[in-house]
PDB file of all heavy atoms in Angstrom:
ATOM      1  N   TRP R 869       8.194 -30.806  41.758  1.00 92.00           N
ATOM      2  CA  TRP R 869       7.678 -31.410  40.527  1.00 92.00           C
ATOM      3  C   TRP R 869       6.159 -31.480  40.523  1.00 92.00           C
ATOM      4  O   TRP R 869       5.514 -31.316  39.489  1.00 92.00           O
ATOM      5  CB  TRP R 869       8.272 -32.815  40.352  1.00 92.00           C
ATOM      6  CG  TRP R 869       9.679 -32.802  39.856  1.00 92.00           C
ATOM      7  CD1 TRP R 869      10.815 -33.021  40.578  1.00 92.00           C
ATOM      8  CD2 TRP R 869      10.111 -32.535  38.514  1.00 92.00           C
ATOM      9  NE1 TRP R 869      11.928 -32.896  39.776  1.00 92.00           N
ATOM     10  CE2 TRP R 869      11.523 -32.602  38.498  1.00 92.00           C
ATOM     11  CE3 TRP R 869       9.439 -32.235  37.325  1.00 92.00           C
ATOM     12  CZ2 TRP R 869      12.271 -32.395  37.354  1.00 92.00           C
ATOM     13  CZ3 TRP R 869      10.195 -32.029  36.175  1.00 92.00           C
ATOM     14  CH2 TRP R 869      11.578 -32.109  36.195  1.00 92.00           C
ATOM     15  N   LYS R 870       5.587 -31.708  41.681  1.00 93.00           N
ATOM     16  CA  LYS R 870       4.141 -31.871  41.790  1.00 93.00           C
ATOM     17  C   LYS R 870       3.385 -30.616  41.391  1.00 93.00           C
ATOM     18  O   LYS R 870       2.286 -30.685  40.822  1.00 93.00           O
ATOM     19  CB  LYS R 870       3.800 -32.250  43.231  1.00 93.00           C
ATOM     20  CG  LYS R 870       2.341 -32.583  43.471  1.00 93.00           C
ATOM     21  CD  LYS R 870       2.113 -33.014  44.913  1.00 93.00           C
ATOM     22  CE  LYS R 870       0.650 -33.338  45.159  1.00 93.00           C
ATOM     23  NZ  LYS R 870       0.408 -33.744  46.577  1.00 93.00           N
ATOM     24  N   LEU R 871       3.974 -29.434  41.654  1.00 94.00           N
ATOM     25  CA  LEU R 871       3.273 -28.167  41.393  1.00 94.00           C
ATOM     26  C   LEU R 871       3.793 -27.411  40.180  1.00 94.00           C
ATOM     27  O   LEU R 871       3.282 -26.344  39.852  1.00 94.00           O
ATOM     28  CB  LEU R 871       3.373 -27.267  42.638  1.00 94.00           C
ATOM     29  CG  LEU R 871       2.660 -27.779  43.896  1.00 94.00           C
ATOM     30  CD1 LEU R 871       2.957 -26.874  45.084  1.00 94.00           C
ATOM     31  CD2 LEU R 871       1.150 -27.864  43.656  1.00 94.00           C
ATOM     32  N   ARG R 872       4.788 -27.936  39.516  1.00 94.00           N
ATOM     33  CA  ARG R 872       5.401 -27.204  38.395  1.00 94.00           C
ATOM     34  C   ARG R 872       4.399 -26.875  37.290  1.00 94.00           C
ATOM     35  O   ARG R 872       4.422 -25.793  36.728  1.00 94.00           O
ATOM     36  CB  ARG R 872       6.582 -27.994  37.826  1.00 94.00           C
ATOM     37  CG  ARG R 872       7.837 -27.833  38.631  1.00 94.00           C
ATOM     38  CD  ARG R 872       9.047 -28.332  37.877  1.00 94.00           C
ATOM     39  NE  ARG R 872      10.266 -28.014  38.612  1.00 94.00           N
ATOM     40  CZ  ARG R 872      11.490 -28.131  38.110  1.00 94.00           C
ATOM     41  NH1 ARG R 872      11.646 -28.561  36.869  1.00 94.00           N
ATOM     42  NH2 ARG R 872      12.539 -27.822  38.827  1.00 94.00           N
ATOM     43  N   LYS R 873       3.563 -27.826  36.967  1.00 94.00           N
ATOM     44  CA  LYS R 873       2.608 -27.614  35.881  1.00 94.00           C
ATOM     45  C   LYS R 873       1.665 -26.464  36.202  1.00 94.00           C
ATOM     46  O   LYS R 873       1.390 -25.601  35.346  1.00 94.00           O
ATOM     47  CB  LYS R 873       1.820 -28.893  35.618  1.00 94.00           C
ATOM     48  CG  LYS R 873       0.968 -28.852  34.372  1.00 94.00           C
ATOM     49  CD  LYS R 873       0.348 -30.219  34.092  1.00 94.00           C
ATOM     50  CE  LYS R 873      -0.467 -30.196  32.811  1.00 94.00           C
ATOM     51  NZ  LYS R 873      -1.081 -31.535  32.529  1.00 94.00           N
ATOM     52  N   ALA R 874       1.199 -26.393  37.427  1.00 95.00           N
ATOM     53  CA  ALA R 874       0.260 -25.335  37.830  1.00 95.00           C
ATOM     54  C   ALA R 874       0.950 -23.975  37.859  1.00 95.00           C
ATOM     55  O   ALA R 874       0.396 -22.972  37.385  1.00 95.00           O
ATOM     56  CB  ALA R 874      -0.323 -25.660  39.201  1.00 95.00           C
ATOM     57  N   VAL R 875       2.169 -23.921  38.405  1.00 95.00           N
ATOM     58  CA  VAL R 875       2.906 -22.657  38.466  1.00 95.00           C
ATOM     59  C   VAL R 875       3.249 -22.179  37.058  1.00 95.00           C
ATOM     60  O   VAL R 875       3.112 -20.990  36.735  1.00 95.00           O
ATOM     61  CB  VAL R 875       4.185 -22.821  39.318  1.00 95.00           C
ATOM     62  CG1 VAL R 875       5.061 -21.570  39.219  1.00 95.00           C
ATOM     63  CG2 VAL R 875       3.821 -23.095  40.772  1.00 95.00           C
ATOM     64  N   ALA R 876       3.689 -23.094  36.195  1.00 94.00           N
ATOM     65  CA  ALA R 876       4.029 -22.735  34.813  1.00 94.00           C
ATOM     66  C   ALA R 876       2.811 -22.184  34.078  1.00 94.00           C
ATOM     67  O   ALA R 876       2.916 -21.221  33.303  1.00 94.00           O
ATOM     68  CB  ALA R 876       4.587 -23.951  34.081  1.00 94.00           C
ATOM     69  N   ALA R 877       1.654 -22.776  34.316  1.00 95.00           N
ATOM     70  CA  ALA R 877       0.417 -22.305  33.665  1.00 95.00           C
ATOM     71  C   ALA R 877       0.077 -20.885  34.097  1.00 95.00           C
ATOM     72  O   ALA R 877      -0.344 -20.059  33.275  1.00 95.00           O
ATOM     73  CB  ALA R 877      -0.731 -23.256  33.983  1.00 95.00           C
ATOM     74  N   ASP R 878       0.253 -20.562  35.391  1.00 96.00           N
ATOM     75  CA  ASP R 878      -0.053 -19.214  35.874  1.00 96.00           C
ATOM     76  C   ASP R 878       0.985 -18.196  35.391  1.00 96.00           C
ATOM     77  O   ASP R 878       0.649 -17.037  35.116  1.00 96.00           O
ATOM     78  CB  ASP R 878      -0.129 -19.212  37.406  1.00 96.00           C
ATOM     79  CG  ASP R 878      -1.410 -19.890  37.907  1.00 96.00           C
ATOM     80  OD1 ASP R 878      -2.344 -20.046  37.087  1.00 96.00           O
ATOM     81  OD2 ASP R 878      -1.466 -20.263  39.085  1.00 96.00           O
ATOM     82  N   LEU R 879       2.246 -18.610  35.270  1.00 95.00           N
ATOM     83  CA  LEU R 879       3.265 -17.714  34.714  1.00 95.00           C
ATOM     84  C   LEU R 879       2.963 -17.413  33.245  1.00 95.00           C
ATOM     85  O   LEU R 879       3.221 -16.303  32.760  1.00 95.00           O
ATOM     86  CB  LEU R 879       4.660 -18.344  34.836  1.00 95.00           C
ATOM     87  CG  LEU R 879       5.345 -18.257  36.194  1.00 95.00           C
ATOM     88  CD1 LEU R 879       6.655 -19.044  36.172  1.00 95.00           C
ATOM     89  CD2 LEU R 879       5.610 -16.805  36.584  1.00 95.00           C
ATOM     90  N   ARG R 880       2.413 -18.396  32.570  1.00 92.00           N
ATOM     91  CA  ARG R 880       2.102 -18.223  31.149  1.00 92.00           C
ATOM     92  C   ARG R 880       1.083 -17.097  30.937  1.00 92.00           C
ATOM     93  O   ARG R 880       1.137 -16.387  29.934  1.00 92.00           O
ATOM     94  CB  ARG R 880       1.570 -19.536  30.566  1.00 92.00           C
ATOM     95  CG  ARG R 880       1.485 -19.542  29.046  1.00 92.00           C
ATOM     96  CD  ARG R 880       1.087 -20.920  28.518  1.00 92.00           C
ATOM     97  NE  ARG R 880       1.205 -20.971  27.073  1.00 92.00           N
ATOM     98  CZ  ARG R 880       0.296 -20.501  26.237  1.00 92.00           C
ATOM     99  NH1 ARG R 880      -0.835 -19.976  26.715  1.00 92.00           N
ATOM    100  NH2 ARG R 880       0.479 -20.563  24.927  1.00 92.00           N
ATOM    101  N   THR R 881       0.190 -16.915  31.896  1.00 94.00           N
ATOM    102  CA  THR R 881      -0.795 -15.825  31.759  1.00 94.00           C
ATOM    103  C   THR R 881      -0.119 -14.457  31.812  1.00 94.00           C
ATOM    104  O   THR R 881      -0.656 -13.483  31.286  1.00 94.00           O
ATOM    105  CB  THR R 881      -1.853 -15.904  32.875  1.00 94.00           C
ATOM    106  OG1 THR R 881      -1.229 -15.658  34.154  1.00 94.00           O
ATOM    107  CG2 THR R 881      -2.534 -17.255  32.898  1.00 94.00           C
ATOM    108  N   VAL R 882       1.073 -14.398  32.425  1.00 94.00           N
ATOM    109  CA  VAL R 882       1.807 -13.132  32.517  1.00 94.00           C
ATOM    110  C   VAL R 882       2.433 -12.789  31.163  1.00 94.00           C
ATOM    111  O   VAL R 882       2.194 -11.721  30.593  1.00 94.00           O
ATOM    112  CB  VAL R 882       2.904 -13.195  33.606  1.00 94.00           C
ATOM    113  CG1 VAL R 882       3.687 -11.883  33.643  1.00 94.00           C
ATOM    114  CG2 VAL R 882       2.292 -13.495  34.969  1.00 94.00           C
ATOM    115  N   TYR R 883       3.246 -13.718  30.624  1.00 90.00           N
ATOM    116  CA  TYR R 883       3.986 -13.376  29.401  1.00 90.00           C
ATOM    117  C   TYR R 883       3.157 -13.514  28.117  1.00 90.00           C
ATOM    118  O   TYR R 883       3.604 -13.111  27.049  1.00 90.00           O
ATOM    119  CB  TYR R 883       5.303 -14.158  29.299  1.00 90.00           C
ATOM    120  CG  TYR R 883       5.196 -15.659  29.232  1.00 90.00           C
ATOM    121  CD1 TYR R 883       4.886 -16.314  28.042  1.00 90.00           C
ATOM    122  CD2 TYR R 883       5.464 -16.442  30.354  1.00 90.00           C
ATOM    123  CE1 TYR R 883       4.813 -17.689  27.971  1.00 90.00           C
ATOM    124  CE2 TYR R 883       5.396 -17.819  30.300  1.00 90.00           C
ATOM    125  CZ  TYR R 883       5.074 -18.438  29.104  1.00 90.00           C
ATOM    126  OH  TYR R 883       5.013 -19.816  29.035  1.00 90.00           O
ATOM    127  N   THR R 884       1.945 -14.067  28.225  1.00 88.00           N
ATOM    128  CA  THR R 884       1.069 -14.099  27.040  1.00 88.00           C
ATOM    129  C   THR R 884       0.008 -13.005  27.084  1.00 88.00           C
ATOM    130  O   THR R 884      -0.865 -12.960  26.214  1.00 88.00           O
ATOM    131  CB  THR R 884       0.372 -15.473  26.911  1.00 88.00           C
ATOM    132  OG1 THR R 884      -0.393 -15.724  28.084  1.00 88.00           O
ATOM    133  CG2 THR R 884       1.384 -16.577  26.691  1.00 88.00           C
ATOM    134  N   ALA R 885       0.080 -12.126  28.077  1.00 90.00           N
ATOM    135  CA  ALA R 885      -0.882 -11.017  28.172  1.00 90.00           C
ATOM    136  C   ALA R 885      -0.772 -10.119  26.938  1.00 90.00           C
ATOM    137  O   ALA R 885       0.302  -9.971  26.354  1.00 90.00           O
ATOM    138  CB  ALA R 885      -0.618 -10.208  29.434  1.00 90.00           C
ATOM    139  N   ALA R 886      -1.870  -9.513  26.563  1.00 89.00           N
ATOM    140  CA  ALA R 886      -1.908  -8.687  25.350  1.00 89.00           C
ATOM    141  C   ALA R 886      -1.148  -7.379  25.512  1.00 89.00           C
ATOM    142  O   ALA R 886      -0.575  -6.856  24.553  1.00 89.00           O
ATOM    143  CB  ALA R 886      -3.350  -8.412  24.951  1.00 89.00           C
ATOM    144  N   THR R 887      -1.140  -6.821  26.717  1.00 90.00           N
ATOM    145  CA  THR R 887      -0.497  -5.529  26.949  1.00 90.00           C
ATOM    146  C   THR R 887       0.319  -5.580  28.239  1.00 90.00           C
ATOM    147  O   THR R 887       0.182  -6.504  29.052  1.00 90.00           O
ATOM    148  CB  THR R 887      -1.548  -4.413  27.089  1.00 90.00           C
ATOM    149  OG1 THR R 887      -2.355  -4.692  28.251  1.00 90.00           O
ATOM    150  CG2 THR R 887      -2.424  -4.328  25.851  1.00 90.00           C
ATOM    151  N   VAL R 888       1.161  -4.563  28.436  1.00 92.00           N
ATOM    152  CA  VAL R 888       1.944  -4.459  29.662  1.00 92.00           C
ATOM    153  C   VAL R 888       1.016  -4.343  30.869  1.00 92.00           C
ATOM    154  O   VAL R 888       1.249  -4.970  31.915  1.00 92.00           O
ATOM    155  CB  VAL R 888       2.887  -3.236  29.611  1.00 92.00           C
ATOM    156  CG1 VAL R 888       3.601  -3.054  30.946  1.00 92.00           C
ATOM    157  CG2 VAL R 888       3.895  -3.388  28.486  1.00 92.00           C
ATOM    158  N   GLU R 889      -0.046  -3.542  30.715  1.00 94.00           N
ATOM    159  CA  GLU R 889      -0.989  -3.335  31.816  1.00 94.00           C
ATOM    160  C   GLU R 889      -1.636  -4.658  32.243  1.00 94.00           C
ATOM    161  O   GLU R 889      -1.747  -4.952  33.444  1.00 94.00           O
ATOM    162  CB  GLU R 889      -2.069  -2.330  31.417  1.00 94.00           C
ATOM    163  CG  GLU R 889      -1.557  -0.894  31.230  1.00 94.00           C
ATOM    164  CD  GLU R 889      -0.773  -0.714  29.940  1.00 94.00           C
ATOM    165  OE1 GLU R 889      -0.935  -1.550  29.015  1.00 94.00           O
ATOM    166  OE2 GLU R 889       0.018   0.257  29.863  1.00 94.00           O
ATOM    167  N   GLU R 890      -2.039  -5.455  31.265  1.00 95.00           N
ATOM    168  CA  GLU R 890      -2.641  -6.746  31.589  1.00 95.00           C
ATOM    169  C   GLU R 890      -1.613  -7.666  32.234  1.00 95.00           C
ATOM    170  O   GLU R 890      -1.924  -8.405  33.176  1.00 95.00           O
ATOM    171  CB  GLU R 890      -3.211  -7.405  30.331  1.00 95.00           C
ATOM    172  CG  GLU R 890      -3.911  -8.732  30.620  1.00 95.00           C
ATOM    173  CD  GLU R 890      -4.315  -9.483  29.355  1.00 95.00           C
ATOM    174  OE1 GLU R 890      -4.336  -8.869  28.268  1.00 95.00           O
ATOM    175  OE2 GLU R 890      -4.593 -10.696  29.479  1.00 95.00           O
ATOM    176  N   ALA R 891      -0.376  -7.619  31.742  1.00 94.00           N
ATOM    177  CA  ALA R 891       0.685  -8.460  32.301  1.00 94.00           C
ATOM    178  C   ALA R 891       0.934  -8.121  33.766  1.00 94.00           C
ATOM    179  O   ALA R 891       1.160  -9.016  34.593  1.00 94.00           O
ATOM    180  CB  ALA R 891       1.972  -8.280  31.494  1.00 94.00           C
ATOM    181  N   GLU R 892       0.895  -6.825  34.101  1.00 95.00           N
ATOM    182  CA  GLU R 892       1.095  -6.407  35.492  1.00 95.00           C
ATOM    183  C   GLU R 892      -0.033  -6.922  36.396  1.00 95.00           C
ATOM    184  O   GLU R 892       0.203  -7.307  37.541  1.00 95.00           O
ATOM    185  CB  GLU R 892       1.203  -4.887  35.564  1.00 95.00           C
ATOM    186  CG  GLU R 892       2.510  -4.356  34.962  1.00 95.00           C
ATOM    187  CD  GLU R 892       2.547  -2.842  34.878  1.00 95.00           C
ATOM    188  OE1 GLU R 892       1.464  -2.218  34.965  1.00 95.00           O
ATOM    189  OE2 GLU R 892       3.655  -2.279  34.720  1.00 95.00           O
ATOM    190  N   ILE R 893      -1.258  -6.925  35.865  1.00 95.00           N
ATOM    191  CA  ILE R 893      -2.396  -7.466  36.627  1.00 95.00           C
ATOM    192  C   ILE R 893      -2.198  -8.960  36.863  1.00 95.00           C
ATOM    193  O   ILE R 893      -2.404  -9.468  37.976  1.00 95.00           O
ATOM    194  CB  ILE R 893      -3.716  -7.204  35.875  1.00 95.00           C
ATOM    195  CG1 ILE R 893      -4.007  -5.698  35.830  1.00 95.00           C
ATOM    196  CG2 ILE R 893      -4.871  -7.967  36.529  1.00 95.00           C
ATOM    197  CD1 ILE R 893      -5.183  -5.334  34.936  1.00 95.00           C
ATOM    198  N   ARG R 894      -1.783  -9.682  35.805  1.00 96.00           N
ATOM    199  CA  ARG R 894      -1.576 -11.129  35.927  1.00 96.00           C
ATOM    200  C   ARG R 894      -0.433 -11.450  36.907  1.00 96.00           C
ATOM    201  O   ARG R 894      -0.501 -12.426  37.646  1.00 96.00           O
ATOM    202  CB  ARG R 894      -1.267 -11.746  34.554  1.00 96.00           C
ATOM    203  CG  ARG R 894      -2.387 -11.580  33.543  1.00 96.00           C
ATOM    204  CD  ARG R 894      -3.611 -12.412  33.905  1.00 96.00           C
ATOM    205  NE  ARG R 894      -4.740 -12.085  33.054  1.00 96.00           N
ATOM    206  CZ  ARG R 894      -5.765 -11.322  33.404  1.00 96.00           C
ATOM    207  NH1 ARG R 894      -5.821 -10.816  34.638  1.00 96.00           N
ATOM    208  NH2 ARG R 894      -6.751 -11.066  32.577  1.00 96.00           N
ATOM    209  N   LEU R 895       0.619 -10.612  36.912  1.00 96.00           N
ATOM    210  CA  LEU R 895       1.727 -10.824  37.841  1.00 96.00           C
ATOM    211  C   LEU R 895       1.259 -10.597  39.282  1.00 96.00           C
ATOM    212  O   LEU R 895       1.664 -11.334  40.196  1.00 96.00           O
ATOM    213  CB  LEU R 895       2.897  -9.894  37.505  1.00 96.00           C
ATOM    214  CG  LEU R 895       4.168 -10.076  38.354  1.00 96.00           C
ATOM    215  CD1 LEU R 895       4.702 -11.499  38.221  1.00 96.00           C
ATOM    216  CD2 LEU R 895       5.243  -9.062  37.935  1.00 96.00           C
ATOM    217  N   ALA R 896       0.399  -9.604  39.478  1.00 96.00           N
ATOM    218  CA  ALA R 896      -0.149  -9.347  40.814  1.00 96.00           C
ATOM    219  C   ALA R 896      -1.001 -10.534  41.267  1.00 96.00           C
ATOM    220  O   ALA R 896      -0.961 -10.939  42.443  1.00 96.00           O
ATOM    221  CB  ALA R 896      -0.982  -8.063  40.802  1.00 96.00           C
ATOM    222  N   GLU R 897      -1.777 -11.108  40.347  1.00 96.00           N
ATOM    223  CA  GLU R 897      -2.591 -12.285  40.671  1.00 96.00           C
ATOM    224  C   GLU R 897      -1.694 -13.482  41.015  1.00 96.00           C
ATOM    225  O   GLU R 897      -1.993 -14.251  41.930  1.00 96.00           O
ATOM    226  CB  GLU R 897      -3.496 -12.632  39.494  1.00 96.00           C
ATOM    227  CG  GLU R 897      -4.590 -11.590  39.253  1.00 96.00           C
ATOM    228  CD  GLU R 897      -5.381 -11.862  37.979  1.00 96.00           C
ATOM    229  OE1 GLU R 897      -4.969 -12.744  37.187  1.00 96.00           O
ATOM    230  OE2 GLU R 897      -6.416 -11.195  37.764  1.00 96.00           O
ATOM    231  N   PHE R 898      -0.592 -13.622  40.276  1.00 96.00           N
ATOM    232  CA  PHE R 898       0.360 -14.699  40.557  1.00 96.00           C
ATOM    233  C   PHE R 898       0.955 -14.525  41.954  1.00 96.00           C
ATOM    234  O   PHE R 898       1.092 -15.488  42.714  1.00 96.00           O
ATOM    235  CB  PHE R 898       1.475 -14.710  39.506  1.00 96.00           C
ATOM    236  CG  PHE R 898       2.483 -15.816  39.685  1.00 96.00           C
ATOM    237  CD1 PHE R 898       2.318 -17.038  39.061  1.00 96.00           C
ATOM    238  CD2 PHE R 898       3.605 -15.644  40.501  1.00 96.00           C
ATOM    239  CE1 PHE R 898       3.233 -18.070  39.235  1.00 96.00           C
ATOM    240  CE2 PHE R 898       4.527 -16.662  40.681  1.00 96.00           C
ATOM    241  CZ  PHE R 898       4.335 -17.883  40.044  1.00 96.00           C
ATOM    242  N   ASP R 899       1.293 -13.265  42.280  1.00 95.00           N
ATOM    243  CA  ASP R 899       1.860 -12.948  43.598  1.00 95.00           C
ATOM    244  C   ASP R 899       0.877 -13.322  44.707  1.00 95.00           C
ATOM    245  O   ASP R 899       1.250 -13.919  45.721  1.00 95.00           O
ATOM    246  CB  ASP R 899       2.216 -11.464  43.653  1.00 95.00           C
ATOM    247  CG  ASP R 899       3.007 -11.101  44.902  1.00 95.00           C
ATOM    248  OD1 ASP R 899       3.300 -12.002  45.714  1.00 95.00           O
ATOM    249  OD2 ASP R 899       3.341  -9.915  45.058  1.00 95.00           O
ATOM    250  N   ALA R 900      -0.386 -12.970  44.508  1.00 95.00           N
ATOM    251  CA  ALA R 900      -1.404 -13.258  45.522  1.00 95.00           C
ATOM    252  C   ALA R 900      -1.579 -14.759  45.734  1.00 95.00           C
ATOM    253  O   ALA R 900      -1.826 -15.213  46.860  1.00 95.00           O
ATOM    254  CB  ALA R 900      -2.728 -12.633  45.100  1.00 95.00           C
ATOM    255  N   LYS R 901      -1.435 -15.533  44.663  1.00 95.00           N
ATOM    256  CA  LYS R 901      -1.659 -16.974  44.741  1.00 95.00           C
ATOM    257  C   LYS R 901      -0.421 -17.741  45.199  1.00 95.00           C
ATOM    258  O   LYS R 901      -0.521 -18.665  46.019  1.00 95.00           O
ATOM    259  CB  LYS R 901      -2.119 -17.494  43.372  1.00 95.00           C
ATOM    260  CG  LYS R 901      -2.434 -18.983  43.344  1.00 95.00           C
ATOM    261  CD  LYS R 901      -2.973 -19.384  41.974  1.00 95.00           C
ATOM    262  CE  LYS R 901      -3.296 -20.874  41.906  1.00 95.00           C
ATOM    263  NZ  LYS R 901      -3.836 -21.267  40.576  1.00 95.00           N
ATOM    264  N   TRP R 902       0.764 -17.358  44.694  1.00 95.00           N
ATOM    265  CA  TRP R 902       1.966 -18.144  44.935  1.00 95.00           C
ATOM    266  C   TRP R 902       3.061 -17.395  45.708  1.00 95.00           C
ATOM    267  O   TRP R 902       4.052 -18.011  46.113  1.00 95.00           O
ATOM    268  CB  TRP R 902       2.572 -18.602  43.601  1.00 95.00           C
ATOM    269  CG  TRP R 902       1.685 -19.456  42.758  1.00 95.00           C
ATOM    270  CD1 TRP R 902       0.989 -19.071  41.650  1.00 95.00           C
ATOM    271  CD2 TRP R 902       1.399 -20.846  42.941  1.00 95.00           C
ATOM    272  NE1 TRP R 902       0.289 -20.126  41.120  1.00 95.00           N
ATOM    273  CE2 TRP R 902       0.527 -21.238  41.903  1.00 95.00           C
ATOM    274  CE3 TRP R 902       1.782 -21.799  43.883  1.00 95.00           C
ATOM    275  CZ2 TRP R 902       0.032 -22.528  41.783  1.00 95.00           C
ATOM    276  CZ3 TRP R 902       1.306 -23.104  43.756  1.00 95.00           C
ATOM    277  CH2 TRP R 902       0.442 -23.454  42.725  1.00 95.00           C
ATOM    278  N   GLY R 903       2.890 -16.094  45.881  1.00 93.00           N
ATOM    279  CA  GLY R 903       3.949 -15.283  46.469  1.00 93.00           C
ATOM    280  C   GLY R 903       4.416 -15.741  47.839  1.00 93.00           C
ATOM    281  O   GLY R 903       5.617 -15.688  48.145  1.00 93.00           O
ATOM    282  N   ALA R 904       3.502 -16.181  48.671  1.00 94.00           N
ATOM    283  CA  ALA R 904       3.867 -16.608  50.020  1.00 94.00           C
ATOM    284  C   ALA R 904       4.733 -17.863  49.987  1.00 94.00           C
ATOM    285  O   ALA R 904       5.676 -18.007  50.785  1.00 94.00           O
ATOM    286  CB  ALA R 904       2.605 -16.863  50.846  1.00 94.00           C
ATOM    287  N   ASP R 905       4.434 -18.774  49.064  1.00 94.00           N
ATOM    288  CA  ASP R 905       5.194 -20.024  48.973  1.00 94.00           C
ATOM    289  C   ASP R 905       6.488 -19.868  48.173  1.00 94.00           C
ATOM    290  O   ASP R 905       7.489 -20.526  48.464  1.00 94.00           O
ATOM    291  CB  ASP R 905       4.336 -21.115  48.317  1.00 94.00           C
ATOM    292  CG  ASP R 905       3.144 -21.509  49.178  1.00 94.00           C
ATOM    293  OD1 ASP R 905       3.285 -21.496  50.415  1.00 94.00           O
ATOM    294  OD2 ASP R 905       2.084 -21.801  48.606  1.00 94.00           O
ATOM    295  N   TYR R 906       6.433 -19.002  47.158  1.00 94.00           N
ATOM    296  CA  TYR R 906       7.592 -18.841  46.278  1.00 94.00           C
ATOM    297  C   TYR R 906       7.936 -17.364  46.089  1.00 94.00           C
ATOM    298  O   TYR R 906       7.810 -16.808  44.991  1.00 94.00           O
ATOM    299  CB  TYR R 906       7.318 -19.494  44.916  1.00 94.00           C
ATOM    300  CG  TYR R 906       6.921 -20.950  45.007  1.00 94.00           C
ATOM    301  CD1 TYR R 906       5.625 -21.356  44.689  1.00 94.00           C
ATOM    302  CD2 TYR R 906       7.836 -21.910  45.419  1.00 94.00           C
ATOM    303  CE1 TYR R 906       5.257 -22.684  44.785  1.00 94.00           C
ATOM    304  CE2 TYR R 906       7.478 -23.244  45.517  1.00 94.00           C
ATOM    305  CZ  TYR R 906       6.189 -23.635  45.201  1.00 94.00           C
ATOM    306  OH  TYR R 906       5.839 -24.951  45.294  1.00 94.00           O
TER     307      TYR R 906
END
């Protein structure tokens, strides 16, 4: 619960990206930040 807001905000950058290419970049950034923990 403590981290849900932060994780949800970073996921939002993926599905609100303007293009598929941008979404893939945002997903890679999410992976780099949260991938080890989740």
